[in-house]
């Protein structure tokens, strides 16, 4: 065996060691990829039901909001009706009451003024 053969043998052994090391690195990388795939699958399995629940919750919330919108519009209509009823009540009852109060005040003032003034002539008060 010559020196060249010995160098070739060492180079071949070094190449085999390098291939074995690279194989273990590739094997570890494969395990990492398998773990990553399993993690992604687990996240997907947990996320899909969660998204369904969120969708159901949003749909229920939208239903409640539409009910609240209906209630709000009914309250606005009631407020308008009460305002109109108040205006009608004020117009039909309030104004005559004010006139009656003014008339009764005038009558009381006239009666009070007749009581406090002395008589100048018979039946005449001035």
């Amino acid at each position: 065996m010559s020196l060249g053969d010995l160098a070739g043998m060492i180079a071949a052994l070094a190449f085999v060691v390098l291939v074995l090391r690279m194989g273990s690195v590739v094997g570890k990388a494969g395990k990492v990829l398998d773990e990553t795939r399993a993690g992604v699958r687990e996240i997907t399995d947990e996320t899909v039901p969660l998204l369904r629940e969120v969708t159901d919750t949003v749909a229920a919330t939208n239903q409640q909001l539409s009910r609240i919108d209906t209630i709000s519009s009914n309250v606005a209509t009631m407020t308008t009706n009460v305002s109109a009823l108040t205006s009608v009540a004020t117009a039909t009852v309030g104004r005559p009451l004010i006139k009656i109060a003014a008339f009764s005040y005038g009558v009381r003032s006239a009666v009070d003024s007749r009581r406090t003034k002395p008589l100048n002539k018979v039946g005449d008060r001035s």
Side-chain angles (χ1 to χ4, degrees):
M1 212 167 154
S2 70
L3 191 56
D5 292 334
L6 185 62
M9 215 39 153
I10 292 175
L13 286 174
F15 184 73
V16 168
V17 170
L18 179 67
V19 167
L20 289 176
R21 290 282 185 165
M22 292 299 290
S24 69
V25 169
V26 168
K28 288 180 183 178
K31 287 181 183 178
V32 169
L33 287 176
D34 289 341
E35 290 293 323
T36 303
R37 186 181 318 127
V40 168
R41 184 178 306 125
E42 187 176 321
I43 289 173
T44 303
D45 291 343
E46 292 177 7
T47 303
V48 169
L50 181 64
L51 288 176
R52 285 186 186 131
E53 288 179 20
V54 168
T55 303
D56 293 342
T57 302
V58 168
T61 302
N62 284 338
Q63 284 180 336
Q64 294 299 324
L65 286 176
S66 67
R67 289 179 184 164
I68 289 173
D69 187 40
T70 303
I71 291 170
S72 297
S73 65
N74 289 340
V75 168
T77 302
M78 282 178 36
T79 303
T80 303
N81 292 342
V82 168
S83 176
L85 183 64
T86 303
S87 298
V88 168
T90 301
T92 57
V93 176
R95 288 183 186 144
L97 284 177
I98 292 170
K99 289 180 181 180
I100 291 170
F103 178 74
S104 67
Y105 176 74
V107 169
R108 276 186 304 187
S109 295
V111 170
D112 285 344
S113 69
R114 279 193 86 116
R115 285 187 190 161
T116 58
K117 289 188 179 178
L119 288 174
N120 289 343
K121 295 182 188 173
V122 175
D124 184 27
R125 292 184 181 199
S126 323

